[in-house]
Amino acid sequence: MTAPFDASNPNPELRALARARDRIAVTLTVLMIVIYFGFIALIAFDKALLGRRIGSGLSLGILLGALVIVATWLLTWFYVRWMNAHYDTALRTFSEGEAGR
């Protein structure tokens, strides 16, 4: 039997599931790259902006750096939640259906 995640699998349901997984993974990866490299670009090209104080002992750069870390946690949480709720459930349902044949 072909692995469920293999793109050459002839089952259209599994191919659709693999496409959905890939679409989510690529979207979240691109989003993380934009967030991270956007922050790095700000460091490289606008140090004055990041050095601006927004509170006692807190600069905009520190706040944005912390937000990059929080964004990483949130994107990871979203991916794990999506995989558990959609991908794993659909794969389990398919596997149980295949076992019954």
Side-chain angles (χ1 to χ4, degrees), residues 34-46 50 68:
V34 167
I35 291 169
Y36 180 74
F37 284 107
F39 180 66
I40 297 300
L42 276 175
I43 292 171
F45 298 111
D46 202 352
L50 295 179
V68 168

Side-chain angles (χ1 to χ4, degrees), residues 1-90:
M1 179 174 164
T2 306
F5 51 85
D6 189 354
S8 66
N9 192 309
N11 188 305
E13 293 172 8
L14 285 180
R15 283 198 313 259
L17 186 59
R19 278 193 306 271
R21 180 204 56 210
D22 292 345
R23 188 172 45 251
I24 291 289
V26 168
T27 300
L28 293 176
T29 300
V30 168
L31 186 57
M32 191 64 237
I33 288 171
V34 167
I35 291 169
Y36 180 74
F37 284 107
F39 180 66
I40 297 300
L42 276 175
I43 292 171
F45 298 111
D46 202 352
K47 289 183 177 99
L49 174 68
L50 295 179
R52 193 172 292 161
R53 298 267 180 208
I54 58 173
S56 177
L58 180 65
S59 69
L60 184 59
I62 296 296
L63 177 63
L64 289 178
L67 289 175
V68 168
I69 294 169
V70 170
T72 303
W73 292 339
L74 290 174
L75 292 175
T76 302
W77 171 81
F78 176 80
Y79 181 74
V80 169
R81 184 167 174 167
W82 185 87
M83 288 295 281
N84 288 338
H86 299 283
Y87 183 79
D88 291 345
T89 304

